[in-house]
Structures are given as structure tokens and as C-alpha cells.
Amino acid sequence: MTLAFQARGLVKRFGATTALDGVDLSAEEGTVLGVLGPNGAGKTTAVRILATLLRPDSGTATVGGLDVARHPGEVRRLIGLTGQFASVDADLTGTQNLVLIGRLLDMRGAEAKARARELLADFDLSEAAGRAAGTYSGGMRRRLDLAASLMGRPKIVFLDEPTTGLDPAKREELWGVVRRLVDDGATVLLTTQYLEEADALADEISVIDSGEVIAHGTPADLKRIVGGRHITVRPADPARLDDAGRVLSTVTGRSPDSPHRGVLSVPAETDRDFPAVVAELDRAGVPVTELALQLPDLDDVFFKLTGHTAADDKEAVAA
Amino acid sequence: MTTMELSAPRPLGLARHSLALAGRSLIKTARNPEHLLDVTLQPVMFTVMFTYLLGGAVAGSTEDYLRTLVPGIMVMVTLFASMQSGVNFNDDIKNGVFDRFRSMPIGRSAPLVGAVLGDAIRYVVAIVVLLAFAAAIGYRVDTGPLQILAASLLAIALAFAVSWMFVLLGAVMRDPGGVQGIAFIVLFPLTFGSDLLAPTETLPGWLQAWVDVNPAAQAMQAARGLLMGGPVAGPATATLLWSAGILAVFAPLAVSAYRRRS
């Protein structure tokens, strides 16, 4: 296997702020690297360096085997970039936006139009193709933006928080697009604030905090660190809390703790724990108003890795 | 790590990419016709104001005054129109779409050339409105359509060159208002430091010296020569040399200012 991109020891400062403090990132061809971290962690800065939009103060980055600082023009021919904010022209229609990108990628007119039509259909935008992008909803603009970055069939695609602000259904749709890209042989770098998203898409995950990679591994590795899933229960009658607790400890062999008043939580070790809890609660006649199998979220990961939450981190950045 | 294969770039990339981006700016103008309001109203306003304020005093009659005024106004309105290239560019580069252009395999100057070329429509509108309105209030060209075309092209050539000064401002300044403020300081000595409104015989020596070299004054002389009959070669050559010189200095400065800003 060869690496599609590799960043080594990236350092970038903006005035007194150190955005990146020695970041290493890499992905093998045809895989998805998830870069997970809170706002202000340095994800966007790292992507902008790999996409030739910023020069690092030190460290090196190669994309497709080419040094981004020495061969930015060649690197730009290999990549597609979708930024955090949709970068489409509000005055141009969906088709005009894509055709313009095609022309800038040296496609002939007919070729650009055909590719635009294909992508608009793929992204469920055919009906809106003739309308100015300024009239699109947030999700439609995001899809058009992604379509624009795929016009040239890039081998390496950088997606900077592509689902931030999208509703869950649209998010799932976008995940489908990313999976198709990888099936077609592309390599994807995806930044996200959601562990769930990284888990769903990434082959490997790098966790970034305050400009440093604090963990790297497969989603399974990370979940091992964080401690996996939790079952949470809220009995309908608060007086039955002890009965519910007995069920949880019988099934999982662990004693539950209470993260909130009236709620119990216990780690789920195996995939059979949750259905067993459902069955046992029913057998014991304990009605519940909440019952969930919860995946660890970014806050859990951060808490385990750094001892503080992602939210604390944001406050620290703001301060 | 192996190097990925690249398709060979097609030749004349900068020209094609610039034209594609000029097309973008034309679409934007068509979608926002109010962006053409200044170039529609200014020629009318300047012509009315100067003709009726000064015509009687300077030339004896408004018809006679229009003969010398209109060629000068032609240069003036195209120069005023060129300011907007810098204002729009300043606004545009903050738009996310410029991030995409930066991440694409196109020449760094293509977005700037595209913006400047796309504004050609503004010059054409300004000149057409001017000639139509002037004709409606009694202006007649002494020569013919070819000379009108030549005078228009000369005015547009100078405006193209000067617009690079404004695009430089657009790339450097923080907001459109700042671009506009500085642009007027450039435009006033260019357009009014000339015999646009009145003969220059009584000017003090230093101002006379400026009028003699001022590229806009040269362009006005050439336009007058073309539209009224008179010497053309000297002032036309001076205008074109000035245009080439301004372009050679300010286009590279604008491109490098744009590159630094990201």
C-alpha cells in the first residue's frame, strides 16, 4: 500500500496563537482518515495546508507523493476540497457553478455539462439545477459544494466538517456519498466533531486537541480506550430505581451508576446485553420512560484522553 | 511513496480560465442589473451638469460645448466605471468561492484577469448611454462610426489599465469603502486635471505640466481628434503607451498582493 497523503511535524502559528504544534497525519490510498476534534483544535488549518491554501511554519506535507510547498500546482490537480462554509457562487445556478469549475479544470464545454448533469442527479439537485444557488437551502448548498469538489474526479478528497449543520437524514445521505467515493478508489480526509461520524466512515481516526494529535488508531482502538457503549435507563416510577438497577447488574455483571437523578447507566460489554436488559426489565415488570444504548461521544473520548471535556477546551481557546 | 499520474495541462490555460471567470462575472452582472446603475446614470448626470452649468459660459452655446465635452466625458465615465472592478474584487475575494479557486490548478492571476475582463460590459454600457443621451440633447459627431469605435476602444484600453490600480487596492484594502475612498483620490486628478471642462491656457505652470502628461488628458485629446477631426496619432500613441505602462506596473503588483492574501 502507498500513502495518498502524509503530513509530518506540521507547525503553524497565527500571531501568538499556535494552531498546529507538530501534527502528523497520513492515509493509505483508498481509505478514509477521520480527523476528530473540537472547534479550534487545528483541523481546518491542517486541511488548508494539505490543500495548498496555507504554508506551514515548519514540517512537511506530501499529497500523491508531491510536496505541497514545492509543487502546489500539481497537487491542486489531484485534490478536491470542500470547506466548512459552502464555497459556491450564490448568483450562479447549480449547473453554472459546476460548469464553471469544469471549465477551470480544462474540461471541454460538452464534457463539463455532462459531468455537471451527472453530479446534480447524484446529489438530488436535478430539479434545482437551473435555480441560483443563493435560493438553495443549507443542505442543498452543501451538496452542491461537494459536487463542485468532485467535478474533476479527484483522487484525494478533503472534506472539512462536511455535515456540520445538516439534519440527521442529510448527514446519512452525505455518508453514502463518501462511501461511494471510496468504493470508486478515492482517498478521503474527513474532519468532524462527531465520533459517530468518524466511526461510521473512517478506517483510521486521528484525534486532535489544541494543535496536537493526542490519539491515533482504528475506530475499534479508540472505542477500547473510551470504554464503548452504555445502557441508560429511566424507570417510569422513580421508586423502582433499585429494581431497574438489579436488572442491569444481573445482566451485565457490573454495578450501575447514576449520571442524573432518576437515571441509571451501565457499560454494555457485549452486543447481547441490550436485548437482554429489555427482556429482563419486562419480566421484572419495570416500565421505563427512557431506555437507550448510547455510543460514546466526542466528550467521552476527550474526557478519557485529556481529562477534560471538549467544551472545556473551547472555553480555554476562547479565554 | 510513488507519485500519482497527472494528465498533461492544456495550453493557453490562463486565457481560457480567465475567460471562464469573466463569464462568471457577466452572469453575476446579469443577475444583479442594479450593478449597472452607476454606469447608466453617471454619463447622463455628468453630461447634463457640465453642459448646462458651463456650456454657455465656456463655449457660448451648449451645442458647441457638447462637441468638445462628449469625447472627454467618454474617457471620464469609463475611468469612473473602472473603479468598481476594485470594489467588487474586494468584496468577491472574501466570498468562499475564492477559496475554491485557490485550491484549483489555475493560474494565480486568472481570477483577477477574469474580474477585469468581465467588467468590459460596464464600459460598453457607459459609452452607449453617453452617446445616446448626448445625441438626444443635440450632440452630433463630426466624423463617422469607425472613429466612434476607435475613440471608445481607446477609452476602454485606458480604463482597463487603470482598473488594475483599483484591483490592487481591492486586494490590499480591508473593505469596499476603503477601496472607493482611495480610488476617488486617483480618479479626480486624472479626469479633472485636463481640459475636459475648460481651456487650460490660464492654468499655473505646475498644473499645466500635469495636464501635459496626464494619460486621461491624452486620451481625451485623442478622442476629440477622432470625433471632431484633428490630430490623433500623437495623443493616441501617448494613451496606449501610458496604458501599457500602468498595466505593466500594477497588474503584477495586484497579482502578488492577491497571492499574499489568503
Side-chain angles (χ1 to χ4, degrees), chain A:
Chain A
M1 288 294 272
T2 51
L3 293 175
F5 60 84
Q6 181 174 37
R8 256 184 290 191
L10 292 184
V11 175
K12 182 72 188 177
R13 290 183 200 90
F14 297 105
T17 317
T18 302
L20 296 180
D21 196 7
V23 163
D24 297 338
L25 294 173
S26 64
E28 288 182 349
E29 276 180 24
T31 67
V32 179
L33 175 71
V35 176
L36 182 65
N39 274 331
K43 302 189 300 289
T44 298
T45 306
V47 168
R48 288 177 71 87
I49 289 172
L50 283 166
T52 76
L53 295 177
L54 270 183
R55 275 168 176 265
D57 295 328
S58 69
T60 58
T62 56
V63 171
L66 296 157
D67 188 290
V68 294
R70 271 180 301 167
H71 305 285
E74 287 84 351
V75 168
R76 290 181 193 124
R77 301 179 68 81
L78 292 171
I79 62 169
L81 170 69
T82 294
Q84 218 170 100
F85 304 100
S87 47
V88 294
D89 198 310
D91 284 327
L92 270 57
T93 66
T95 304
Q96 285 168 340
N97 263 295
L98 296 188
V99 169
L100 171 64
I101 300 300
R103 299 307 296 255
L104 295 178
L105 289 169
D106 290 340
M107 290 180 185
R108 321 237 166 223
E111 185 191 355
K113 279 189 195 125
R115 176 75 176 144
R117 205 174 307 120
E118 184 187 345
L119 282 168
L120 287 165
D122 277 359
F123 287 85
D124 197 18
L125 290 168
S126 294
E127 271 176 46
R131 266 170 38 210
T135 67
Y136 286 17
S137 69
M140 289 165 77
R141 273 202 214 202
R142 219 36 110 68
R143 301 207 298 277
L144 181 62
D145 192 26
L146 186 52
S149 57
L150 302 182
M151 270 300 280
R153 298 187 169 82
K155 299 200 170 69
I156 297 157
V157 183
F158 298 121
L159 303 175
D160 192 13
E161 300 202 12
T163 62
T164 300
L166 292 190
D167 62 49
K170 294 284 181 253
R171 183 175 298 174
E172 297 257 355
E173 248 176 59
L174 218 134
W175 290 0
V177 172
V178 173
R179 291 197 183 100
R180 253 186 294 153
L181 276 176
V182 179
D183 289 344
D184 292 345
T187 309
V188 175
L189 184 159
L190 167 109
T191 76
T192 180
Q193 300 191 41
Y194 310 109
L195 181 61
E196 184 195 1
E197 182 160 285
D199 185 23
L201 295 173
D203 297 291
E204 295 195 2
I205 299 175
S206 293
V207 184
I208 295 198
D209 180 39
S210 306
E212 287 179 80
V213 175
I214 53 171
H216 175 87
T218 63
D221 293 338
L222 270 185
K223 277 189 265 179
R224 213 164 296 133
I225 300 173
V226 183
R229 302 155 297 184
H230 280 73
I231 298 168
T232 56
V233 181
R234 183 195 291 272
D237 177 1
R240 306 287 306 271
L241 208 59
D242 287 345
D243 295 335
R246 257 191 300 282
V247 169
L248 290 180
S249 54
T250 313
V251 172
T252 64
R254 303 269 208 114
S255 55
D257 56 5
S258 179
H260 309 290
R261 205 143 64 98
V263 176
L264 291 174
S265 171
V266 72
E269 308 266 285
T270 75
D271 292 346
R272 258 169 292 151
D273 285 355
F274 188 68
V277 166
V278 175
E280 289 301 322
L281 283 172
D282 187 42
R283 198 192 314 263
V286 182
V288 298
T289 51
E290 282 176 31
L291 178 58
L293 180 63
Q294 286 185 323
L295 295 172
D297 59 15
L298 183 60
D299 273 338
D300 298 323
V301 177
F302 266 75
F303 195 74
K304 274 279 160 28
L305 290 172
T306 66
H308 60 83
T309 66
D312 289 344
D313 216 56
K314 264 178 255 175
E315 278 157 26
V317 169

Side-chain angles (χ1 to χ4, degrees), chain B:
Chain B
M1 188 146 70
T2 54
T3 302
M4 288 189 182
E5 282 171 49
L6 292 170
S7 52
R10 278 167 61 194
L12 288 177
L14 181 59
R16 273 179 300 103
H17 299 154
S18 301
L19 283 177
L21 289 162
R24 162 180 177 265
S25 107
L26 280 180
I27 295 171
K28 291 174 81 74
T29 306
R31 184 107 34 209
N32 303 286
E34 71 274 13
H35 290 179
L36 291 174
L37 219 53
D38 59 333
V39 287
T40 315
L41 296 181
Q42 275 176 9
V44 174
M45 182 190 76
F46 286 132
T47 308
V48 168
M49 199 166 74
F50 297 142
T51 304
Y52 296 108
L53 269 178
L54 306 173
V58 176
S61 80
T62 52
E63 280 78 16
D64 285 341
Y65 190 62
L66 273 174
R67 280 185 69 217
T68 58
L69 180 72
V70 170
I73 295 275
M74 183 186 271
V75 174
M76 180 183 181
V77 293
T78 48
L79 283 175
F80 269 72
S82 72
M83 172 177 72
Q84 203 63 29
S85 295
V87 174
N88 289 345
F89 186 68
N90 180 272
D91 208 29
D92 219 11
I93 47 179
K94 293 176 204 150
N95 189 326
V97 82
F98 267 71
D99 252 4
R100 180 174 300 289
F101 296 156
R102 284 197 195 92
S103 74
M104 291 185 64
I106 59 174
R108 277 305 171 253
S109 53
L112 289 81
V113 179
V116 167
L117 286 182
D119 280 337
I121 184 68
R122 298 170 48 75
Y123 307 141
V124 173
V125 169
I127 290 174
V128 168
V129 170
L130 168 70
L131 291 175
F133 179 75
I137 61 169
Y139 172 67
R140 296 293 173 266
V141 179
D142 296 313
T143 51
L146 270 184
Q147 283 83 350
I148 294 179
L149 185 68
S152 306
L153 289 178
L154 213 51
I156 291 174
L158 181 63
F160 262 136
V162 170
S163 72
W164 282 99
M165 295 166 119
F166 302 136
V167 171
L168 169 63
L169 287 175
V172 174
M173 307 282 294
R174 246 205 244 265
D175 57 66
V179 177
Q180 214 153 16
I182 308 280
F184 276 118
I185 295 175
V186 175
L187 280 173
F188 280 112
L190 271 178
T191 50
F192 293 110
S194 67
D195 59 355
L196 170 67
L197 300 175
T200 55
E201 286 85 47
T202 60
L203 295 183
W206 59 270
L207 190 53
Q208 184 72 55
W210 165 241
V211 172
D212 287 342
V213 296
N214 176 5
Q218 297 291 336
M220 290 173 185
Q221 289 288 350
R224 243 175 238 147
L226 283 161
L227 299 181
M228 300 169 68
V232 172
T237 310
T239 306
L240 292 175
L241 285 175
W242 263 115
S243 304
I246 293 170
L247 185 75
V249 172
F250 286 95
L253 285 176
V255 171
S256 77
Y258 166 68
R259 290 173 73 131
R260 273 198 307 272
R261 179 174 177 159
S262 58

